[in-house]
Amino acid sequence: MNVREVFEACSEANTPAIPFCDDNGHISGRVTLKNILLKSCLPEFMVEMAMVLGEQLSHMQDMGTETRQLLDNPVDPYVQKPHISLTSDSPAIKALALMERNDTSYIFVVDEGRYLGVITIHSLANALVSFENRS
Amino acid sequence: MHGEPGLAAHVIFGWDPLWVSSILFVATYAVIISEKVNRAIVAGLGAGLMVTLGVLNQQTAISGIDFNTLGLLAGMMVIVAITRESGVFQYVAVWSAKKVKASPWGILLMLSLVTAVFSAMLDNVTTVLLIAPVTLLICHELKVNPYPFLYAEIFASNIGGTATLIGDPPNIMIGSAVGLTFNQFLLNLAPITPVILAVTLGIIYLVWGRSMEASPEARERIMNFREREAITDVKLLKQSLSVLALVILGFVLAHPLRLEPATIAMFGAAVLLLLSNFRNSAEEQSESVHEIFGKIEWITIFFFIGLFIAVKGIEEAGVLGILADMVISYTGGDLQVTAMAILWVSAIASAIVDNIPFVATMIPVIKSMAPTFGGAENLMPLWWALALGACLGGNGSLVGASANLIVAGFAERAGHRIRFLPFMLMAFPMMLISIAIASLYMYLRYL
């Protein structure tokens, strides 16, 4: 799998991360958009100095080539340890509590270790609006 | 304190305290040098064993801790942690780069001067933490190699830190242990630091400066930086700079005010915490104070506590007295030879090992030389020799000072690894040149 495929999968599922599964479908890690972008595009010193950056930056000169290189990169160097997860029968409030506790906006949903999907803070808000509309 | 005041130390199994304390101290030192275990843990274990094995009782161990050093360090850490939130340091760094029209050598010169001045007024570790990211960003946009810039800043931070009581931990320790004031450091050490910095920058110019170039487009990118946007909180900026100025004024007037530097720093920290939390709710205050206290370098504070106790152990056991006698027998009790020996040995030792444990050990050794040289008042040249040697010696290698390692860390994460040997091959001789200048200064002024 390369970075391009991860970006496409995240965009399609509207989620900031996707799980990295082994041959049995069990989650063995995760790949996040943030980690890929931070590691490949954003040096630490630029974060420290974010406020003073002007309109012209040297990054823009080689943007086309650098973007192509990044998208063709294999995803393996960006795989992180597995994220928190919960089962599909867990109450939504538990998902929200876990997100707050772990300072994240998404949680993977699993069944006996197998990946089922992802619940995000946006999908929770969506579900509440849908529930209100139905009632 | 819960220990019985009269509870005497008694080494287990009746072992000789001289040997037990020496072995413990050397082992502690060796593990610190190996950098395999965090230095605060090692110092804590060494201190704990000094007490549990009976070299010291708890009361004596605690009496070895220099709370003036700890108070000064902690107070300044709080003041700097709040001040840096305002963005003033980034502002000054970018402003100074634009002042020289983004010319690479001009930037190197300006950033080195800013580093030296900030290191003298705050501390050199904080300074490089703030300057290194600016430097890497500027070099990245200029498309120039950041190594000469970072190299110059390492030197500038250690040279600038040498100039004042608060610039470098060895000075804080010496000042506190001997009762030297901020002004005494300023009058005795600050005059030589601009000379050493000028010579250092001259060498850097000859090696790298002459061939530094950047395209007009690259320089234009630097000129487009928005330094004013670095100032995120104008109110906090005014508050923190006012308190910092008052604290430095307090250090200058400490003697007539009959105040210790730690009192001034801690009081300044409390005032700045109050001002920065003015009109905040109780919950917001708790959160803010908790966050600021989290930025105190507790590893350094606990390292000092453990180290002070470990040094007290060998002092009480008589090891340091023997060491002092050995130094005097080698130097023949001559003040000039002893001062030069302390200056050069401190410099070379500080390039190889952390200068904090070295200075902590040397302070009681020098103190115990007072009778040989006719009283404590005649030891002044030795204190300046120790301060100059320990602070400037930090430039001799990448592990010589905490500031060096911080710069190396930033550089490595940005893909510009600073290698130990190539750095030392140039830095060590340059450090020796700075010590030669310091020797001449010492000779002309004190000996």
Side-chain angles (χ1 to χ4, degrees):
Chain A
M1 196 174 199
N2 62 23
V3 171
R4 185 190 303 274
E5 288 165 312
V6 172
F7 281 11
E8 284 168 356
C10 286
S11 301
E12 202 174 306
N14 198 20
T15 167
I18 55 169
F20 197 77
C21 298
D22 60 20
D23 294 341
N24 301 319
H26 291 116
I27 298 176
S28 61
R30 66 182 160 130
V31 190
T32 71
L33 296 178
K34 191 176 172 183
N35 187 41
I36 295 176
L37 292 170
L38 281 179
K39 267 189 166 176
S40 55
C41 308
L42 192 58
E44 179 190 15
F45 57 80
M46 211 165 255
V47 179
E48 295 273 337
M49 299 299 298
M51 299 300 286
V52 304
L53 297 176
E55 294 90 357
Q56 300 170 27
L57 290 172
S58 58
H59 271 74
M60 293 169 184
Q61 293 174 342
D62 318 310
M63 209 167 157
T65 327
E66 283 180 6
T67 306
R68 253 191 312 280
Q69 276 172 358
L70 168 67
L71 292 178
D72 292 337
N73 274 349
V75 80
D76 302 63
Y78 304 109
V79 177
Q80 295 172 277
K81 63 180 184 188
H83 194 48
I84 46 162
S85 57
L86 42 66
T87 52
S88 56
D89 53 358
S90 305
I93 193 77
K94 182 174 179 179
L96 193 59
L98 278 171
M99 283 183 201
E100 182 61 25
R101 188 177 166 76
N102 292 282
D103 196 21
T104 182
S105 60
Y106 67 95
I107 297 179
F108 296 141
V109 181
V110 295
D111 182 28
E112 291 179 352
R114 294 173 70 83
Y115 176 66
L116 293 181
V118 60
I119 181 165
T120 67
I121 197 145
H122 296 96
S123 63
L124 273 176
N126 240 337
L128 284 174
V129 171
S130 309
F131 174 77
E132 172 65 14
N133 288 344
R134 277 204 305 274
S135 62
Chain B
M1 227 177 295
H2 300 290
E4 291 173 43
L7 193 65
H10 180 76
V11 179
I12 56 161
F13 307 132
W15 288 341
D16 185 354
L18 197 79
W19 281 106
V20 175
S21 64
S22 301
I23 292 166
L24 274 179
F25 191 77
V26 170
T28 306
Y29 224 99
V31 183
I32 289 171
I33 294 167
S34 77
E35 294 182 357
K36 296 282 180 206
V37 186
N38 181 283
R39 59 185 186 157
I41 300 173
V42 184
L45 287 173
L49 285 170
M50 284 283 183
V51 179
T52 49
L53 294 183
V55 176
L56 296 171
N57 62 26
Q58 183 176 297
Q59 201 177 23
T60 320
I62 288 174
S63 74
I65 301 171
D66 183 351
F67 287 98
N68 195 36
T69 294
L70 299 182
L72 180 51
L73 277 170
M76 288 308 291
M77 284 173 188
V78 169
I79 292 171
V80 171
I82 298 173
T83 307
R84 64 185 284 190
E85 292 297 311
S86 67
V88 63
F89 303 119
Q90 284 92 340
Y91 173 86
V92 173
V94 175
W95 173 85
S96 66
K98 288 170 87 166
K99 271 283 154 202
V100 290
K101 307 265 185 285
S103 103
W105 172 250
I107 290 175
L108 186 146
L109 212 56
M110 287 300 262
L111 289 183
S112 299
L113 289 176
V114 167
T115 304
V117 172
F118 279 165
S119 294
M121 291 172 62
L122 308 169
D123 71 278
N124 54 5
V125 169
T126 309
T127 302
V128 296
L129 266 174
L130 300 162
I131 294 292
V134 186
T135 308
L136 286 163
L137 175 66
I138 287 173
C139 291
H140 185 264
E141 294 305 319
L142 280 180
K143 301 266 182 204
V144 295
N145 180 6
Y147 186 80
F149 293 77
L150 298 172
Y151 184 95
E153 285 162 14
I154 286 176
F155 268 77
S157 74
N158 290 316
I159 295 169
T162 310
T164 64
L165 168 71
I166 53 172
D168 212 355
N171 286 2
I172 296 179
M173 293 161 79
I174 296 166
S176 176
V178 190
L180 300 174
T181 63
F182 186 83
N183 295 356
Q184 281 176 295
F185 273 90
L186 215 56
L187 291 172
N188 289 281
L189 297 188
I192 192 60
T193 50
V195 179
I196 296 172
L197 185 63
V199 171
T200 303
L201 290 172
I203 298 170
I204 290 172
Y205 178 75
L206 292 176
V207 177
W208 291 298
R210 288 180 297 181
S211 56
M212 277 181 180
E213 272 178 21
S215 67
E217 299 79 42
R219 289 170 69 166
E220 191 54 34
R221 285 197 289 270
I222 306 299
M223 298 307 287
N224 270 312
F225 279 177
R226 299 165 171 178
E227 70 274 19
R228 288 192 74 88
E229 289 185 22
I231 307 291
T232 48
D233 189 337
V234 177
K235 196 172 136 200
L236 183 67
L237 172 75
K238 287 177 184 167
Q239 290 169 342
S240 50
L241 288 186
S242 306
V243 170
L244 191 59
L246 285 174
V247 165
I248 290 172
L249 185 67
F251 289 144
V252 173
L253 300 174
H255 192 62
L257 290 172
R258 301 169 70 86
L259 291 173
E260 291 287 337
T263 310
I264 297 164
M266 292 298 267
F267 186 57
V271 169
L272 189 51
L273 279 169
L274 175 72
L275 290 174
S276 61
N277 280 288
F278 198 60
R279 290 191 181 149
N280 278 359
S281 68
E283 198 182 332
E284 285 168 335
Q285 286 180 37
S286 285
E287 205 174 307
S288 158
V289 174
H290 188 261
E291 193 189 326
I292 294 297
F293 281 176
K295 289 178 181 168
I296 292 178
E297 292 159 43
W298 291 109
I299 290 177
T300 305
I301 301 286
F302 277 94
F303 176 53
F304 270 102
I305 293 173
L307 204 58
F308 283 136
I309 295 173
V311 171
K312 186 72 179 171
I314 51 169
E315 187 186 357
E316 287 288 304
V319 180
L320 296 182
I322 296 169
L323 208 60
D325 290 342
M326 279 168 65
V327 174
I328 288 167
S329 74
Y330 280 124
T331 60
D334 182 288
L335 186 67
Q336 190 174 328
V337 179
T338 311
M340 286 298 158
I342 289 173
L343 176 65
W344 285 87
V345 171
S346 305
I348 292 165
S350 298
I352 301 162
V353 298
D354 193 333
N355 56 13
I356 294 170
F358 180 80
V359 171
T361 315
M362 284 302 289
I363 287 171
V365 171
I366 294 178
K367 270 186 176 175
S368 64
M369 292 177 185
T372 311
F373 295 111
E377 64 280 2
N378 294 332
L379 294 178
M380 291 312 293
L382 305 187
W383 295 123
W384 302 132
L386 179 63
L388 283 167
C391 296
L392 295 173
N395 278 326
S397 82
L398 215 47
V399 295
S402 308
N404 310 7
L405 289 169
I406 287 169
V407 173
F410 266 108
E412 183 155 8
R413 290 193 294 279
H416 301 281
R417 190 171 172 207
I418 300 179
R419 294 183 182 277
F420 184 86
L421 262 181
F423 178 86
M424 197 171 174
L425 278 175
M426 181 153 166
F428 198 81
M430 277 180 70
M431 180 275 285
L432 292 180
I433 292 172
S434 72
I435 296 299
I437 298 169
S439 301
L440 185 66
Y441 173 72
M442 289 276 309
Y443 179 75
L444 293 175
R445 186 154 178 195
Y446 306 107
L447 302 171

